[in-house]
Amino acid sequence: MKKLKTNIEKLLKENNIRYEFIPLPEDIAMDVDVHMKFHGKNLRNAMPNMVFRTEKGLIVAQRRGDTEIDNKKLKQLLGIQRLSLASKEDLDNLELEPGLVPPTGYNLKFYMDKKVLENDEVYTGSGDRLFALKINPRDLVKLNNAIVADFTAFEVGNRKRVYSGIRATGRLHLGNYLVAVKGMLALQ
């Protein structure tokens, strides 16, 4: 992974982009919250880079750390039906590691959520476990020729889920609605 960081550093220098590689402790957890606490910054300043598989190929979605991908919006933007996180094999083929996906330096189409641009600087992966990258997201848009769009929603803190056990056995009928569905709707 040091090779990837070196290639990214070269790319950034060639394009006269201001950046900073920040050394990380060897034992730091691979968790966005932990990293942002280390940097003394809010989650809004984090920028996870997520590789997705679609029926048209792989793409990278970049979002703020305090948001989550809205699958419906992203599918609509991409004009696709299927969207899933890239597999370990997909990442291996790109010479990337889960949790260490950098914001540039590999040949995929980049999509940046517009909320990221509310920040003058973001903290993101560098491709090397021992370094974070601090950079202006506008520079990444130019460098990656990224498409900027609205495809995230703000995270709802500690959302709870209720599993009902309801299984569809056919068309919804009045009995389903009165006995099961109406009760679940009341819990929302």
Side-chain angles (χ1 to χ4, degrees):
M1 290 295 111
K2 291 183 191 323
K3 178 182 171 192
L4 181 58
K5 177 184 168 279
T6 302
N7 291 344
I8 291 169
E9 189 165 21
K10 180 180 175 189
L11 182 66
L12 296 173
K13 283 181 180 177
E14 286 172 354
N15 287 279
N16 297 315
I17 294 175
R18 287 187 22 205
Y19 66 93
E20 180 183 353
F21 282 114
I22 301 167
L24 299 170
E26 286 187 33
D27 61 346
I28 195 165
M30 297 300 295
D31 180 88
V32 176
D33 290 327
V34 171
H35 278 247
M36 294 316 291
K37 284 179 185 165
F38 171 80
H39 295 299
K41 297 289 183 175
N42 188 293
L43 272 177
R44 71 173 281 127
N45 294 101
M47 190 186 76
N49 305 286
M50 303 172 71
V51 181
F52 285 96
R53 172 171 284 292
T54 76
E55 64 264 25
K56 294 181 180 178
L58 299 173
I59 62 103
V60 178
Q62 299 172 312
R63 65 175 179 87
R64 268 183 22 185
D66 62 346
T67 65
E68 55 190 23
I69 300 289
D70 181 323
N71 286 343
K72 187 175 179 181
K73 285 182 181 178
L74 188 53
K75 284 179 181 180
Q76 186 174 3
L77 172 67
L78 299 173
I80 57 159
Q81 298 295 314
R82 292 179 304 142
L83 179 70
S84 61
L85 286 172
S87 68
K88 174 86 168 91
E89 184 180 342
D90 290 330
L91 294 178
D92 287 345
N93 290 338
L94 293 167
E95 299 182 359
L96 300 173
E97 278 189 53
L100 298 177
V101 176
T104 193
Y106 44 102
N107 191 25
L108 291 180
K109 187 71 182 160
F110 286 81
Y111 295 83
M112 183 181 288
D113 185 73
K114 69 179 187 175
K115 293 174 195 71
V116 174
L117 297 177
E118 294 171 6
N119 295 312
D120 292 329
E121 63 184 26
V122 292
Y123 294 75
T124 189
S126 69
D128 185 324
R129 184 180 200 305
L130 298 177
F131 292 89
L133 174 62
K134 181 171 81 170
I135 193 165
N136 186 317
R138 285 165 199 76
D139 290 333
L140 289 171
V141 170
K142 291 178 198 167
L143 182 64
N144 295 329
N145 197 24
I147 294 172
V148 177
D150 178 21
F151 57 84
T152 66
F154 287 102
E155 288 184 340
V156 178
N158 297 325
R159 212 179 332 175
K160 295 183 180 178
R161 292 186 180 190
V162 175
Y163 293 95
S164 68
I166 297 172
R167 276 193 337 183
T169 57
R171 295 185 57 131
L172 183 65
H173 55 76
L174 187 59
N176 295 124
Y177 177 75
L178 291 175
V179 176
V181 178
K182 190 175 179 185
M184 287 297 115
L185 291 174
L187 290 174
Q188 287 185 345

